[in-house]
Amino acid sequence: KEKGFDIAVENIQQWTEVNPNFKIFFMGEESKIYLNRFTKELSNSIFLPQSFNTQNFYKSVDLVLFLSTAPEGTPLVVLEALSFDVGVIAFPIKGVIEILGNDYPLYIKRSEDVIDKLKLYYSDKINLDKLRLIHKSICLKNNFTQMLKNIDEAYKSFLVK
């Protein structure tokens, strides 16, 4: 529940109405275990394996829904999304605020707000150029790109071949 899987299950149909090409990707083994019972609701969902090519993934998506409601240390998903200039809809929780700041335009206060932020993101009401500048500024300030390369290289070195 803390990871926001229930929010996805309850709202995915409504989200696809905002964008008919909408696909939801779930990351992590715990998502597959939790969500196995919802195959009908999640028919247009994809479960990513524990190891996948992050660069290819983020180059093929335009938005990340980070729906965790539990305080996070440093949520790598948010860092990765920003480094590839992908928008992030998220709750302003500890860990996320430290990365995105207090005024990030795609924050949600309640799970019901996701649909409004999706509509905003896919409309002409949000200035995507300004959002890109925010992402770039955050990345430059924290040098996320290099940090993520280092993390990715370290992770790959632990994989059994």
Side-chain angles (χ1 to χ4, degrees), residues 66-131:
F66 185 76
L67 301 177
S68 181
T69 56
E72 298 277 336
T74 303
L76 290 180
V77 170
V78 174
L79 298 176
E80 291 166 348
L82 290 181
S83 72
F84 287 96
D85 195 27
V86 173
V88 177
I89 292 177
F91 288 97
I93 58 172
K94 190 171 175 71
V96 173
I97 292 175
E98 285 73 15
I99 296 169
L100 298 176
N102 292 315
D103 301 322
Y104 191 70
L106 296 176
Y107 278 143
I108 54 176
K109 291 184 175 37
R110 307 165 306 133
S111 60
E112 296 83 13
D113 297 339
V114 174
I115 190 72
D116 294 331
K117 293 299 178 173
L118 283 171
K119 288 177 181 175
L120 175 67
Y121 189 80
Y122 290 112
S123 74
D124 58 359
K125 293 179 184 166
I126 190 166
N127 185 335
L128 291 178
D129 290 332
K130 185 176 178 182
L131 190 63

Side-chain angles (χ1 to χ4, degrees), residues 15 20 33 37 56 60 81 113 115 118 129 137-138 141 149:
W15 297 346
I33 293 166
R37 58 193 150 168
N56 288 343
S60 69
D113 297 339
I115 190 72
L118 283 171
D129 290 332
S137 168
I138 292 169
K141 184 173 97 177
K149 282 182 186 176

